[in-house]
Amino acid sequence: MKTEYIMNLTRRVVLTAAVGFFTNLTFAQSVQDGINFVDSQKYAKAKQNFTDLINQNPKDASNFFYLGNIYLTQFDPNFKEAQDSFNKGLALDPKSYLNKIGLASVKLGKGDRSAIAEIQQIVKDSKEKDAEVLFRAGEALTLFEKNNSPDLAISYLNKAIEKAQKNGVPAHYYYSLGDAYRLKKDPGNAMSAYDKAEVVAKNKASVYTRKGTLWIAAQQWQQAKQNIDKAIAVDPTYAPAYKALAGFNIKYQKNAEATQNLINYTKYADEDPYTQLEIAKLYFTNEDYANAKTTLNAVFDKVNDPIKYKLRAYILYGEGDYIGAKQNMDLFISQADKSRVQPSDEGLQGLIAAGMAKGEKDAAKKAQLDAIAQQKIAIAKAAKDETLKWDEELAKVKGGINSASVEQGPTSPAIEALKKKIAENPSDTDSLYKLATEYQNVQNWNGAILTWGKMISALPEWAPAYYSQGYAYQQAKNNDMAKASYEKFISLVKPAEIEANKPSLGYAYFFVAFMEKDTNPEKAKQDVAKSLEYEPTYQDAINLQKALNK
């Protein structure tokens, strides 16, 4: 679960801000408290805060909006609870623009992009007089990573900021503007918005954490760490900073430090079941399956949302319980709204199928499971989903490759020195190349496979990394993954690079042909012909071609 949950840090950490400005002081303080609780990822306290406000003033429709909006901004949106709250607000005041925006947000979160036009109409109907309506419209258009409209959001948020100038712009207006620029992949303007938030924010930890996660997204590790450290220094109780730091350490594969960060995050966040689910996810990401399972079990019966089954499936998958993982994924798929089923869910089902195939004795069933695995993992990869490193995970399932297996293999002083250098800069491709080569020199094939995988993550279009990974897989006796890597290498070699890569292409095509000779002899004939086109004197390819043409 390496990438999506880490990078979710850059989404959910930055959702709402810490300061509200309202005309009635007593009311304002209470609303401000609720906003602060959401910003600190204390969702249970935020929900209680706005529930109390509703009880104190049951005729104020806006309180129902603020309560419903928490269910949209928490880690896993609960569309039903949010919709129920917005509908109650509209029952009190059918003209409530905020609750109308809330209902449109639910539609947008479910993937119905007609909601964008609805939000535009709501803003038009409001005559753009209310800064809060403009702000919430802009925020709604940034809430969902796959269903949003950052340009329109930026327009509304800038108008909200302009409207609010007279009484002072709340910090969270700038935060959401930064979020919109992040969705637009415009880190410069995002950072500028956070700089403006820093001027007015009462809790600077909020700002530093957001800046830190923006630097993480940009893979600027030193600046990321500096900002996260500053956040903790100014407010040691600010929970999101520890979550961001856990993500940073997971990226560096500092598992022990990440576990301690998650312990602190748990300590300073609250016991809202959805927060605990997020913590369990992060433990899984950190390959701390015991803590992931313990955390999930503690809240499993308190959560009605089917998301709990998906998380349990991930944990059981991590433990190698593929049958249990499949049962839980099936429960999630059958109970969740279709809009919540993601390409990563297809990918996980593929990995589970691969795990089940590994122990299947019946040849026909094994072939069927392998086909399912390839099909579903291909869906996740085609969607560019990064919840897991799909090829690496498939290799781990089929060959038992993980960090522990690397550490158990051969090492050398050069390897240990390069590991330290990469720990300081994980995107140092020169050191990654040298480390992968050193692992090959000492025949630590698992280390070579995983390191070439990191090289591929850093330079996904660099063909030689796939060839080298294929060689390492082959030496590790994982021929299926070797074939996949060689095929990827072949697909990435550009016409101008063919001359320099002829020997490698000759061997790659030969290996693919050899693997296909029994299952797809016609394809094998084509591939071995390509092999000899690049390496006409390659005797193994000559022999294979003769055997195929008999």
Side-chain angles (χ1 to χ4, degrees):
M1 239 175 186
K2 293 299 178 196
T3 309
E4 182 188 63
Y5 289 129
I6 291 169
M7 297 323 295
N8 270 349
L9 294 166
T10 68
R11 180 71 201 105
R12 289 300 179 196
V13 158
V14 298
L15 278 172
T16 23
V19 186
F21 291 82
F22 299 84
T23 55
N24 181 297
L25 184 60
T26 304
F27 177 76
Q29 184 61 44
S30 196
V31 171
Q32 179 182 325
D33 286 344
I35 292 172
N36 283 337
F37 287 141
V38 172
D39 176 67
S40 300
Q41 296 175 6
K42 294 179 171 64
Y43 295 111
K45 289 183 178 179
K47 290 168 188 173
Q48 187 61 54
N49 183 86
F50 287 113
T51 299
D52 290 344
L53 271 179
I54 289 168
N55 292 334
Q56 292 167 20
N57 190 358
K59 294 184 179 181
D60 190 332
S62 64
N63 292 330
F64 287 96
F65 166 77
Y66 291 113
L67 177 61
N69 208 45
I70 297 168
Y71 287 101
L72 293 183
T73 57
Q74 65 189 19
F75 298 110
D76 287 300
N78 187 323
F79 296 123
K80 182 181 182 305
E81 292 288 346
Q83 184 169 312
D84 287 349
S85 191
F86 299 141
N87 279 329
K88 288 176 183 176
L90 282 170
L92 284 172
D93 178 6
K95 294 183 179 180
S96 171
Y97 297 123
L98 290 179
N99 283 293
K100 287 180 180 180
I101 289 170
L103 287 180
S105 300
V106 170
K107 286 180 66 174
L108 187 58
K110 289 183 174 182
D112 185 349
R113 294 186 65 82
S114 70
I116 295 173
E118 286 187 27
I119 291 171
Q120 286 178 290
Q121 187 60 51
I122 294 164
V123 172
K124 184 177 179 181
D125 292 343
S126 76
K127 303 188 186 304
E128 300 189 7
K129 292 181 177 180
D130 189 330
E132 182 69 357
V133 170
L134 286 164
F135 165 68
R136 294 298 174 179
E139 180 197 48
L141 295 167
T142 69
L143 284 180
F144 308 106
E145 191 169 1
K146 295 183 180 177
N147 297 294
N148 52 65
S149 181
D151 286 321
L152 186 58
I154 290 166
S155 173
Y156 289 151
L157 291 166
N158 277 323
K159 288 179 180 179
I161 290 166
E162 184 180 351
K163 288 279 182 189
Q165 290 288 348
K166 184 176 180 180
N167 296 320
V169 180
H172 57 286
Y173 281 30
Y174 290 120
Y175 292 151
S176 287
L177 181 61
D179 297 346
Y181 278 118
R182 288 174 83 149
L183 285 171
K184 212 184 155 172
K185 302 191 185 307
D186 184 347
N189 276 316
M191 190 63 76
S192 295
Y194 296 151
D195 286 340
K196 291 176 182 177
E198 185 176 349
V199 175
V200 297
K202 291 184 178 180
N203 188 347
K204 305 299 184 188
S206 295
V207 182
Y208 296 138
T209 300
R210 286 164 169 81
K211 288 185 173 183
T213 60
L214 184 58
W215 285 121
I216 288 175
Q219 298 187 0
Q220 297 295 317
W221 311 111
Q222 185 176 354
Q223 293 96 322
K225 183 67 162 53
Q226 286 174 350
N227 276 278
I228 295 169
D229 286 346
K230 283 166 71 175
I232 293 171
V234 299
D235 184 357
T237 69
Y238 187 67
Y242 293 102
K243 184 184 177 190
L245 187 55
F248 179 86
N249 282 322
I250 289 169
K251 189 80 175 175
Y252 271 86
Q253 297 184 336
K254 295 182 177 180
N255 294 37
E257 290 92 332
T259 291
Q260 186 57 53
N261 302 148
L262 292 175
I263 290 169
N264 285 327
Y265 177 57
T266 306
K267 178 180 176 182
Y268 296 117
D270 64 17
E271 294 186 359
D272 181 78
Y274 291 92
T275 304
Q276 295 301 307
L277 286 176
E278 180 70 7
I279 292 167
K281 287 179 189 176
L282 289 166
Y283 275 126
F284 177 91
T285 304
N286 196 39
E287 299 180 1
D288 188 344
Y289 304 127
N291 271 322
K293 193 170 187 177
T294 299
T295 306
L296 176 63
N297 288 343
V299 296
F300 196 82
D301 294 333
K302 299 177 184 177
V303 180
N304 294 323
D305 195 310
I307 196 75
K308 65 183 182 181
Y309 296 113
K310 177 161 76 170
L311 182 52
R312 178 166 279 178
Y314 271 106
I315 292 169
L316 292 173
Y317 159 76
E319 294 179 336
D321 181 356
Y322 302 118
I323 293 174
K326 182 180 186 305
Q327 290 171 345
N328 277 272
M329 272 307 288
D330 288 346
L331 284 169
F332 169 71
I333 297 293
S334 66
Q335 294 184 24
D337 188 285
K338 289 182 180 179
S339 65
R340 299 182 68 187
V341 179
Q342 303 295 323
S344 58
D345 301 328
E346 300 281 357
L348 180 60
Q349 290 177 83
L351 293 171
I352 292 168
M356 294 173 67
K358 189 177 176 182
E360 180 56 61
K361 304 298 182 187
D362 184 292
K365 289 182 180 177
K366 179 179 174 64
Q368 184 181 29
L369 287 166
D370 280 333
I372 291 171
Q374 293 296 332
Q375 175 198 5
K376 289 190 173 291
I377 290 170
I379 291 171
K381 291 172 66 176
K384 300 188 184 309
D385 183 274
E386 296 182 340
T387 304
L388 296 173
K389 293 180 180 177
W390 301 107
D391 288 338
E392 282 188 27
E393 289 294 325
L394 185 59
K396 285 163 63 176
V397 170
K398 291 189 172 186
I401 300 172
N402 52 35
S403 298
S405 68
V406 174
E407 295 303 319
Q408 291 166 7
T411 188
S412 69
I415 287 172
E416 296 306 315
L418 286 164
K419 282 164 62 178
K420 290 180 181 177
K421 192 172 182 181
I422 292 166
E424 295 172 1
N425 182 7
S427 58
D428 180 354
T429 53
D430 182 59
S431 294
L432 284 170
Y433 175 85
K434 291 176 181 176
L435 178 60
T437 303
E438 285 298 325
Y439 273 131
Q440 290 185 176
N441 289 342
V442 300
Q443 298 186 9
N444 185 334
W445 303 115
N446 288 346
I449 289 166
L450 291 186
T451 308
W452 285 122
K454 292 175 184 177
M455 189 74 169
I456 287 166
S457 294
L459 300 172
E461 300 299 315
W462 192 53
Y466 294 93
Y467 182 86
S468 296
Q469 190 181 52
Y471 175 76
Y473 273 128
Q474 189 180 345
Q475 296 302 314
K477 314 294 187 201
N478 192 334
N479 288 340
D480 288 338
M481 290 306 298
K483 176 176 177 286
S485 294
Y486 285 138
E487 287 176 326
K488 186 67 175 178
F489 162 72
I490 290 167
S491 72
L492 287 175
V493 175
K494 297 177 177 64
E497 300 167 345
I498 287 175
E499 189 64 33
N501 282 281
K502 277 187 173 181
S504 298
L505 284 165
Y507 184 77
Y509 271 112
F510 162 74
F511 186 86
V512 172
F514 184 83
M515 290 294 293
E516 291 175 333
K517 64 183 175 61
D518 297 322
T519 57
N520 193 347
E522 290 305 314
K523 176 74 164 52
K525 287 179 184 178
Q526 295 172 18
D527 286 328
V528 78
K530 291 292 290 185
S531 173
L532 289 168
E533 178 183 328
Y534 294 118
E535 283 286 276
T537 62
Y538 184 28
Q539 192 61 49
D540 286 342
I542 293 169
N543 294 340
L544 178 58
Q545 188 177 58
K546 287 179 181 176
L548 287 167
N549 289 330
K550 280 183 180 178

